[in-house]
Amino acid sequence: MNGKGDKWRGGWTTEYANNFNSIFNKEKRMKKRVFIFDVDGTLTPSRLPMTDEMDRYFGAWLKHNKFYLVTGSDISKLQEQMCYHDIESEGFFTCCGNEFWIPDPHVVNISAELVYENKWTPPGDLFHFLEHVLERNDYHPKTGNHVEDRGTMVNFSIVGRNCTLEQRHDYSVHDEVSQERNKLAKEIVDRWPELDAAVGGQISVDIYPKGKDKSQVLDVIRQHQITPADEYIFIGDRTMKGGNDYPLAKLMDTETDCKYYQVKNWEETKTILEKYAEE
Ligand code: M1P
């Protein structure tokens, strides 16, 4: 094959077709991909900032990629963990998608503009119930700060959010065996069918009105992207049933332009991103 002048058109073969891009000096069109990341356990170790290795990798990766973040945490926790990379996202969702923020480096302290928040007043008897759960549960230690009302959702933890990293780890081992967070989430949904409860990070349960979970972010992202992406890719560590990434993963399963990955830690996320970068 000597280039496009050779036996032009009459001699068009599969070989020409397969080498179309190089013959016509065309760059292969890059697929427009939009990545959506959970934070804890996906980009960072649980409740800790990104590791130096991931910080460096992600900092370079984001120069060529579009991404959103979707976490169960609130904005202060997310920003503690993201090593300023949240500023370079297209947007980020906190409180399981119940708050949407657009980065704006000019906004003092938080460097983001709140686009919406789904304000929610939890039923009063939910708090009574959670207090009762704490009393009846004999896990020790209980460190304080057990119920966090974030204004759009409630986070509940038996060991308490004041725990040290070691106590956090011990509780997560206990929970792995006892499955008490999954049982509690089920009990909440049985008592309040209008609510949903899901296991997010290592020590707590997220509670919000039914449907006000991470799945709500996909529509917002689609509308926010002026030209549609070819592919939306979600990576999370809790995409299994009962996890707070599950509703989004389940929705993405039904959409032809979406894909999701379940990971065990940030290392697996990095490996996935490296594979995409090789394409
Ligand atoms: O982002 C994941 C979760 O992070 C924290 O969970 P935990 O303290 O249990 O590890 C919480 O902020 C939780 O709301 C959030 O879903």
Side-chain angles (χ1 to χ4, degrees):
M1 186 166 57
N2 300 324
K4 64 184 176 184
D6 190 25
K7 291 188 185 167
W8 180 237
R9 274 304 158 110
W12 189 257
T13 60
T14 317
E15 205 184 347
Y16 279 106
N18 290 344
N19 292 289
F20 180 87
N21 285 329
S22 62
I23 295 169
F24 285 83
N25 294 325
K26 274 191 183 239
E27 289 286 313
K28 212 164 107 191
R29 188 177 87 84
M30 291 288 285
K31 265 192 175 178
K32 180 179 170 187
R33 290 196 171 112
V34 169
F35 289 83
I36 307 166
F37 298 103
D38 166 55
V39 177
D40 277 81
T42 300
L43 290 177
T44 76
S46 203
R47 291 299 313 121
L48 286 174
M50 265 185 181
T51 60
D52 289 347
E53 183 184 337
M54 189 58 165
D55 179 13
R56 272 195 305 277
Y57 179 79
F58 198 72
W61 176 90
L62 59 74
K63 301 285 174 224
H64 310 281
N65 291 281
K66 287 180 187 291
F67 72 100
Y68 291 83
L69 303 169
V70 53
T71 175
S73 293
D74 53 22
I75 185 167
S76 58
K77 294 188 190 71
L78 170 113
Q79 292 186 331
E80 271 164 35
Q81 295 176 266
M82 279 304 296
C83 303
Y84 293 99
H85 296 315
D86 50 291
I87 299 177
E88 293 182 78
S89 69
E90 302 283 296
F92 54 89
F93 298 86
T94 53
C95 299
C96 291
N98 286 302
E99 295 177 9
F100 181 39
W101 303 83
I102 301 279
D104 179 348
H106 301 103
V107 181
V108 179
N109 291 332
I110 52 173
S111 55
E113 201 76 68
L114 182 63
V115 180
Y116 72 70
E117 63 180 328
N118 299 327
K119 283 212 178 290
W120 177 53
T121 308
D125 52 349
L126 176 67
F127 294 113
H128 292 134
F129 170 76
L130 296 176
E131 272 164 31
H132 171 69
V133 171
L134 261 190
E135 279 162 22
R136 80 175 182 205
N137 189 298
D138 52 16
Y139 182 81
H140 206 75
K142 294 201 176 76
T143 65
N145 196 8
H146 300 275
V147 181
E148 196 170 80
D149 183 352
R150 297 183 182 157
T152 57
M153 60 166 281
V154 167
N155 180 264
F156 175 70
S157 166
I158 283 170
V159 64
R161 308 206 61 78
N162 293 343
C163 62
T164 62
L165 283 182
E166 200 184 342
Q167 289 165 336
R168 166 177 277 276
H169 171 76
D170 291 348
Y171 178 79
S172 73
V173 172
H174 160 78
D175 178 66
E176 191 69 38
V177 177
S178 64
Q179 292 291 306
E180 70 179 11
R181 287 190 299 164
N182 278 326
K183 289 179 198 158
L184 173 62
K186 188 174 175 312
E187 200 179 340
I188 292 170
V189 176
D190 286 347
R191 277 172 183 260
W192 289 274
E194 73 279 19
L195 302 186
D196 244 336
V199 172
Q202 271 186 314
I203 57 161
S204 60
V205 172
D206 292 330
I207 307 164
Y208 35 72
K210 206 161 225 77
K212 294 293 183 191
D213 50 47
K214 289 192 182 185
S215 68
Q216 60 191 315
V217 311
L218 185 59
D219 257 0
V220 181
I221 292 174
R222 285 189 190 283
Q223 286 172 38
H224 189 231
Q225 287 295 307
I226 294 163
T227 54
D230 297 299
E231 234 180 343
Y232 296 88
I233 298 163
F234 173 49
I235 309 185
D237 72 327
R238 295 270 174 191
T239 64
M240 63 294 264
K241 209 167 180 194
N244 70 354
D245 295 327
Y246 175 73
L248 178 55
K250 196 170 135 220
L251 172 64
M252 291 187 101
D253 230 4
T254 64
E255 309 272 314
T256 50
D257 55 353
C258 295
K259 200 180 238 179
Y260 76 89
Y261 295 88
Q262 159 70 38
V263 292
K264 285 200 203 73
N265 48 40
W266 64 268
E267 288 96 328
E268 284 192 9
T269 304
K270 182 167 171 269
T271 305
I272 293 169
L273 299 184
E274 283 165 346
K275 291 223 172 93
Y276 274 108
E278 279 164 17
E279 278 183 14

